[in-house]
Amino acid sequence: MSDFIPIIVLAPIAALLINLFFGSRMRGEMAGWIATGAVAISFFVTLGLFSNMLGWPPEQRTIHFHWLDWIHVGRVNVDISYLIDQLSIIFMLVITGVGSLIHLYSISYMKGDRGYWRFFVYLNLFIVMMLQLVMADNYLLTFVGWEGVGLCSYLLIGFWYDEKKNNDAAKKAFIVNRIGDFGFLVAMGAMLWQFKSLNYLDILGSGGNVVDGVHHIGMATTLAVGAPIATIITLMLFLGCTGKSAQIPLYVWLPDAMAGPTPVSALIHAATMVTSGIFLVARSNILFALSPTTLSVVAGIGAATAIFAAMIGIFQNDIKKVLAYSTVSQLGYMFLALGVGAFTAGVFHVVTHAFFKACLFLGSGAVIHAMHHEQDMQKMGGLGKYLPITFWTFLIATLAIAGIPPFAGFFSKDEILWQAFSRGSVVLWLIGALAALMTAFYMFRVIYLTFYGTERFDTDHHEPHEVDWRMWLPLVVLAALSIGAGFLGMPSVFGAGNWFEKWLEPVVSRGEEISKVAGAAEGAGLEWALMAVSVGIAVAGILLAARFYKRRLTLAKDEAQLGAAYQLMHNKFYVDELYDKTVIQPIYNVSNGFLYKIVDVRVIDGIINGLAHITEIGSGMIRRIQTGIVQNYAVLIVVGLFVLVGYLVMF
Amino acid sequence: MAPLSHYLAVSAILFVIGTAGVLFRRNAIIIFMCVELMLNAVNLTLIAFSQFFGDQTGQILVFFVMTVAAAEAAVGLAIVIALFRNKQTVDVAKVNILKW
């Protein structure tokens, strides 16, 4: 089976090459179908691999696949090799599965765009890079994928490059991510210094797994809990994660990234790339567990991001912006779980979130499509009867994200809240619960403003129409997954046992064990009680949204009555303005005032022009020798002859 | 028979006269004649040394020099004539057009 592993990567590469060279000459939907087919092939190969793995004993469910040699310097060996274990196969399934659905959706959504084939080249490249990120057996190859998905994100945010705001958003995403990537690089340097290796098996070990016939003992396990080097490495890695996964303080790029086409928002900025931070922490769980400091930072940042972004999301009127802030908030949840050492819960939420958030984004894409590229919810309303499939799938996904049982989001979010309570603290749980309340509220605000109430759009020209099958089929599949995926991770108090937890156990058990706080809260009764509370919270959020928005017509005016709080949240707490004042303007001023006007113009240009000037003056003097009078030259020859002969005679 | 040094002295005097003519005269034809004078001064040296050392090489070299001098005179005269046609003068001070 492992012979087929290269196909997973090569299929999208082949498709992207075909589209790159011949795409501009293809007609109709050809380029889209090639790209979609390739990702579907990857998905089915991955699925085959996964079903094989299911049949193996748990401790042998790891494939270490050496593909190509890469860097061999001194004692450091870094190859293009893949480590496919319980963790990476989950991510691979999500990437290729959700990826192929979104490709299918894009075939119709991007139709008629003049960059049609270019779009699919980028999407395929993204899939390749994302697979590198999760399949790599070492940090460097992960970093290659990490940078690669960043590049694709940049290219796709600025896909419609003839509008300046799209390019600005793309640049913002790129630059903010560079700051995070700096952390990743420093972490890799520290690991090279400490462990003389970048391979996961060398550093982290193989958990309970047998890889290449042996149990690898990671060098990290020889460190003591709280070792400074572990804190440095993990804090720097986490800096990378805050960039890629849009956490405080580097979250500002994600809402702006909505400038890209909607399928991009669904695939890259909700389902896959932004979760790579969670992947990295989960992969390095042993290292993170060794540093209680980092873990509390992760949990703190996660919780803060979850509630902060949720607050901003409440009063956004752009349908995609709400979803973007919701993504930031949900990613905060995942980090909250990782921070308390519940790595399984974090990864589980990644999976369910990928389904329902992709569904939400694609649904919003269908709405935007029907509304002729209107994204302001104040100008929608009453769309439920025009777009029945979109409405029902959107509703299912919204129920899932709000945390209503038995939808998928309930199980994963509740698991996180329970872990935050039992392994973390009441404060973390409270923040999480509050964010859950807000999530339910703002998501149903979207539902009511978009699909219910009076029609606030112009129906004279076109009636909104339902999307075609290439767009609604992914919606339906994702909605089905939003219902069903939760059962994979049913809490063990339900009796059936948590399959997801068992599946991931070999990879994360050591990390969860090390990070486990002594005397953590336990008990089935408590768990049931908290579960009831979180369902109650979700229902309260929904009712609250219904109370305010179900029939509301004069939305902007009513919300404005809330005064300062509304202004603050509506304007995103002025964080962008704060960054502009404290970071961007000073950098700009230094660049313009000092680097440009002094260093560049005065110093560098001065030196170059000065040299040219000196040469000019010097040549002006020397050229006087060339009189054009032949006899002068003859005199010089004779004088030279005398000097030469004189020299030879004297010495 | 006069000793070698006498020949060399005459040759040196002729050479210096030729050199001075090339350097200081303005008439292109005179300059030419001075160049010939320098060549002949060298020829005289070659003959003298050839006789002194009893070696024929010097005499053969003289024929080469005379051949080259004749060729040079032919080309040089052509140049002077072309120059005169264009400038109506053979004064080298008035044809210094290759200057800054």
Side-chain angles (χ1 to χ4, degrees), chain A residues 9 121 128 156 225 272 306 440 446 492 513 528 541 544 581 593 619 624:
Chain A
V9 179
V121 170
V128 173
L156 285 164
V225 173
T272 54
V446 172
S492 32
E513 202 178 296
W528 281 112
L544 217 57
K581 280 273 177 302
S619 66
R624 300 276 155 189

Side-chain angles (χ1 to χ4, degrees), chain A residues 623-631 633-635 638, chain B residues 19 21-26 31 92 96 98-100:
Chain A
R623 73 178 170 183
R624 300 276 155 189
I625 296 168
Q626 297 202 321
T627 54
I629 300 166
V630 184
Q631 285 172 318
Y633 303 151
V635 169
V638 171
Chain B
T19 310
V22 168
L23 293 185
F24 305 117
R25 296 302 292 258
R26 294 290 169 87
I31 290 173
V92 290
N96 54 343
L98 285 175
K99 67 191 282 191
W100 25 271

Side-chain angles (χ1 to χ4, degrees), chain B residues 42-65:
Chain B
V42 172
N43 280 348
L44 183 59
T45 323
L46 284 168
I47 300 272
F49 278 121
S50 173
Q51 183 69 24
F52 182 74
F53 289 112
D55 187 342
Q56 306 302 306
T57 321
Q59 302 198 18
I60 293 164
L61 265 177
V62 168
F63 283 104
F64 280 116
V65 172

Side-chain angles (χ1 to χ4, degrees), chain A residues 34 92 273 304 358 431 446 495 511 553 559:
Chain A
I34 290 172
M92 285 159 69
M273 180 185 95
I431 294 174
V446 172
L553 308 176
E559 284 181 347

